[in-house]
Amino acid sequence: MCNPEEAALLRLEEVFSATLARVNSLVLQPLLPAAPEPSDPWGRECLRLLQQLHKSSQQLWEVTEESLHSLQERLRYPDSTGLESLLLLRGADRVLQAHIEYIESYTSCMVVQAFQKAAKRRSEYWRGQRKALRQLLSGVSSEGSVGALLGQALHQPLAHHVQQYVLLLLSLGDTIGEHHPTRELVVNAVTLFGNLQSFMKQELDQAVATQALWHTLRGRLRDVLCTPAHRLLQDSQDVPVTVAPLRAERVLLFDDALVLLQGHNVHTFDLKLVWVDPGQDGCTFHLLTPEEEFSFCAKDSQGQAVWQWKVTWAVHQALRGKKDFPVLGAGLEPSQPPACRCAEYTFQAEGRLCQATYEGEWCRGRPHGKGTLKWPDGRNHVGNFCQGLEHGFGIRLLPQASEDKFDCYKCHWREGSMCGYGICEYSTDEVYKGYFQEGLRHGFGVLESGPQAPQPFRYTGHWERGQRSGYGIEEDGDRGERYIGMWQAGQRHGPGVMVTQAGVCYQGTFQADKTVGPGILLSEDDSLYEGTFTRDLTLMGKGKVTFPNGFTLEGSFGSGAGRGLHTQGVLDTAALPPDPSSTCKRQLGVGAFPVESRWQGVYSPFRDFVCAGCPRDLQEALLGFDVQSSRELRRSQDYLCCERTHPEDSVGSMEDILEELLQHREPKALQLYLRKALSNSLHPLGKLLRTLMLTFQATYAGVGANKHLQELAQEEVKQHAQELWAAYRGLLRVALERKGQAVEEDEDTETRDLQVHGLVLPLMLPSFYSELFTLYLLLHEREDSFYSQGIANLSLFPDTQLLEFLDVQKHLWPLKDLTLTSNQRYSLVRDKCFLSATECLQKIMTTVDPREKLEVLERTYGEIEGTVSRVLGREYKLPMDDLLPLLIYVVSRARIQHLGAEIHLIRDMMDPNHTGGLYDFLLTALESCYEHIQKEDMRLHRLPGHWHSRELW
């Protein structure tokens, strides 16, 4: 059964629906002009507001009709349709929202006096409608203006309707009892519509106060401030307050802005960017904004409390983006607005941010967090900010004079300037990858020209305050030259080595980009000049030339247009031919650039990172990052995006790296850990190795592949191994400190060298092997050519003849290993004797690890002894007199290319702890074999019949 309250609700909805329809036809429709539209901006704005009110009224009528339909269904079928089917109960939020939208549209029209302005345009028409308007209203005098009557006609029916809603729903709640299933729905509807009454009253009061405010302002101020969205919350003329330091004459608090009036000037502050700080005394509080700070002082504590409370909750409401319901400050926690927010602001004050617009995260009046900064001239910055300054990773675009060209900086920033690692792509197509300090290139970095540059170049080295300074490598692609040496203030200055594509090498001193004083010049044919030069390495002044045949020419050298090189001096043809090692193998740069200080700009950021305790926020700034960079600079804002590869993407966080490091401290586990770390370009150790590889290739690949740089490269590789081990030890110390464990004591030199040569060097050498071995090949090219000719001559001998030629005792010949056909003789068999040893020795070329190469040599020695023992039928230890000719046989049959380069690389890179041991002995034996095979008389004459082991030492 239905109760009387439901029937009353039905009648209420019927009356309200009819009233809305009548108001629409009698009031709203006539308010909307058919044509033409108003020409003035305010007229168009009023028309827009009236159209919005008409739309809201239509939506409210539709919701009322739907509610009416649900009531009719309930009364028609009370047994099958429950109370919960009523739209007022199941859809109370929707009905409420329709009322709120209508009220907000109505008050917006009211604030800008849209009803009065519309009535004025059709005054004759509305004077004739006074009687009809009075019929819509009850208890309202008809003596008021037409505009006021229109406002009442659009508001009073709604207010009365909501009041009746509340009364009838309260009565309905009393009727159905405490335990009725729909009791909760009824109580919710009563609460919502009760709150709606309070909301309506607040909205009307604010609209009336705002409308009244416009009459108190002068024309210009009114034009600036009068907008439909503004709602006055507080006026200093009602509750006095003074503002310092701005001494405002009047303070207006709107629901979206704080306005300070000072003469003809209007200072407006978006409430989303206002922070409230309570004062120390009872009459003052402080406000923070992006560019200014104010103190608000009231006459008494009550006035201060009113202003502080209203400003605080107005900020809350502005940040929420919708009006508090039912009244300002209702039901919100916490009492203080959040310190961190997101907003947009355009700076006005003079300075570097003048006219720049910042959009992003803020904290207490300053950009703080992620954001975007845009200047009117096209500059853009996207990244992290801290207390108003660029801080952390950020991307900066700087427009250039030419259209669609930008300099793009993808860098780490500190306190507003670039600091740390960055990648910069310039509009000239040049690219810089390296470190910055205070906005300038500083530390290690690589600057490279674009691929189509008319004068291509690449500089890899150190910088100081934006200029090349310290040790660095410059490759001049246009001249085919590479400079290796010291720089100062952007110029070559100090000791340096110049290598040309033609194989010419120069070592000397530079000053202000020019050669000064004496130097040495090595030509490709190993001629040596010692003296002075011009900038392009032309012989000039006093000097001495030593030719490959030992002749010398000493005197004065010069050149002129069309005359070529000319000299006046003494030619000495009586000198003996020089030792090949004196010129052919002369090494440049050794001693001029101490290896331990050569690449400090690469090592230092890693040391700083470790000394700081490996903080995550400095990992990219100090160790660098990987990006997918493009040389093509586009105007598109997509270029402000940067796909960076973070270490966490593949190797885990720094905490995980340090934890894993602690779990792999035993020798075998440590070797596996270091192998994995060095092979991963995102691991700190892997990052350091990749940078060292870059410097090595920049120095010794291409034009730098010159035999006179072999020792420079060799000592550099060893130094890198030491630094990588020191880097690991630094990470270990941090890991132990984080766990609160005792830090290991510093290693002594012997222990360190054991780990460097035995553990780190074999793991990192493959990364440098290609360039390093090329230098060994070039340095020992002459000996290897003699060796290759010797191998070719010895390969003409069948096995037995070669064994006899080498004076191997016949009882040691492994003839039983030879399988003959019916028509074959022993004297014709080739490459069958000591086959296992030969195949074993050939594996020396399959590894780059010196230790593994020595292990191959040891196994070869074992294979030779094993074969001899099998031939003799007993275990047999070869004396040196027997071993050396057998080893020469195996080496000649293994036909290892570039054996001289292999031997010297092993000797230079082997663990010093092996000196004087078995490996040293076997390597010395191999060196002796190599030297004997080179000898000219081996092609025509037998070797001596007796070998003395003392010769090896």
Side-chain angles (χ1 to χ4, degrees), residues 628-756:
Q628 296 178 353
S629 61
S630 168
R631 291 180 181 272
E632 181 184 355
L633 300 182
R634 309 185 304 275
R635 194 176 185 86
S636 168
Q637 296 304 308
D638 293 342
Y639 201 74
L640 291 170
C641 299
C642 182
E643 296 295 331
R644 304 200 324 281
T645 303
H646 294 274
E648 291 82 353
D649 295 342
S650 61
V651 296
S653 66
M654 198 65 218
E655 290 74 16
D656 295 336
I657 291 173
L658 296 176
E659 182 67 32
E660 186 180 6
L661 186 147
L662 289 176
Q663 297 171 4
H664 295 80
R665 297 175 65 186
E666 295 301 320
K668 288 188 177 179
L670 176 57
Q671 184 182 33
L672 292 174
Y673 175 81
L674 289 177
R675 186 186 302 277
K676 177 182 175 183
L678 292 173
S679 64
N680 192 324
S681 62
L682 300 178
H683 191 285
L685 293 177
K687 281 179 177 286
L688 179 56
L689 177 60
R690 293 304 181 281
T691 307
L692 296 175
M693 288 169 56
L694 184 149
T695 63
F696 198 78
Q697 291 167 358
T699 311
Y700 306 109
V703 177
N706 191 290
K707 61 186 177 183
H708 302 295
L709 301 179
Q710 178 268 333
E711 189 170 341
L712 200 68
Q714 175 240 117
E715 65 179 10
E716 201 165 290
V717 170
K718 291 181 179 178
Q719 180 65 26
H720 291 342
Q722 288 187 26
E723 293 291 343
L724 284 167
W725 176 248
Y728 162 76
R729 295 278 299 173
L731 290 175
L732 177 61
R733 186 183 71 252
V734 173
L736 291 171
E737 288 173 350
R738 289 193 179 188
K739 290 291 185 180
Q741 300 179 20
V743 178
E744 294 183 352
E745 296 182 0
D746 292 338
E747 299 172 309
D748 55 46
T749 304
E750 184 178 349
T751 304
R752 184 201 65 190
D753 291 345
L754 178 64
Q755 297 287 21
V756 168

Side-chain angles (χ1 to χ4, degrees), residues 53-118:
L53 179 60
H54 180 264
K55 180 180 177 182
S56 300
S57 173
Q58 186 66 25
Q59 291 173 345
L60 182 59
W61 178 81
E62 290 173 358
V63 169
T64 303
E65 281 290 300
E66 190 175 343
S67 175
L68 175 61
H69 178 73
S70 68
L71 284 163
Q72 290 170 343
E73 289 296 304
R74 163 69 175 161
L75 293 174
R76 187 177 296 118
Y77 308 107
D79 297 332
S80 60
T81 308
L83 265 177
E84 65 279 1
S85 66
L86 298 182
L87 182 65
L88 279 174
L89 301 183
R90 63 177 171 81
D93 290 332
R94 185 179 158 209
V95 177
L96 177 73
Q97 188 59 36
H99 283 75
I100 289 175
E101 289 178 4
Y102 180 86
I103 293 165
E104 290 179 341
S105 298
Y106 170 78
T107 53
S108 293
C109 292
M110 186 177 174
V111 164
V112 298
Q113 297 181 308
F115 305 133
Q116 288 84 342
K117 293 174 182 177

Side-chain angles (χ1 to χ4, degrees), residues 888-909:
I888 292 177
Y889 172 87
V890 171
V891 170
S892 68
R893 289 305 193 226
R895 300 179 179 87
I896 298 171
Q897 291 184 331
H898 316 298
L899 182 60
E902 292 278 6
I903 290 172
H904 285 88
L905 187 143
I906 296 171
R907 175 66 72 189
D908 290 340
M909 294 294 170

Side-chain angles (χ1 to χ4, degrees), residues 234-256:
Q234 192 62 58
D235 187 342
S236 62
Q237 288 189 349
D238 299 327
V239 180
V241 66
T242 58
V243 179
L246 192 58
R247 298 191 177 277
E249 299 168 1
R250 190 173 183 182
V251 182
L252 302 174
L253 175 64
F254 294 98
D255 59 350
D256 59 349

Side-chain angles (χ1 to χ4, degrees), residues 309-340:
W309 186 89
K310 286 200 173 181
V311 172
T312 298
W313 290 110
V315 170
H316 256 305
Q317 181 174 267
L319 291 173
R320 290 177 62 235
K322 61 179 181 179
K323 293 183 180 294
D324 295 346
F325 185 83
V327 293
L328 180 67
L332 290 178
E333 292 294 339
S335 59
Q336 285 295 326
C340 297

Side-chain angles (χ1 to χ4, degrees), residues 750-789:
E750 184 178 349
T751 304
R752 184 201 65 190
D753 291 345
L754 178 64
Q755 297 287 21
V756 168
H757 287 86
L759 183 61
V760 180
L761 190 59
L763 294 176
M764 59 156 280
L765 189 56
S767 300
F768 304 92
Y769 192 79
S770 176
E771 292 79 18
L772 183 62
F773 191 64
T774 298
L775 297 178
Y776 276 90
L777 290 178
L778 295 172
L779 184 64
H780 302 285
E781 185 177 17
R782 183 171 178 271
E783 299 100 307
D784 275 339
S785 65
F786 293 148
Y787 158 79
S788 297
Q789 186 58 53

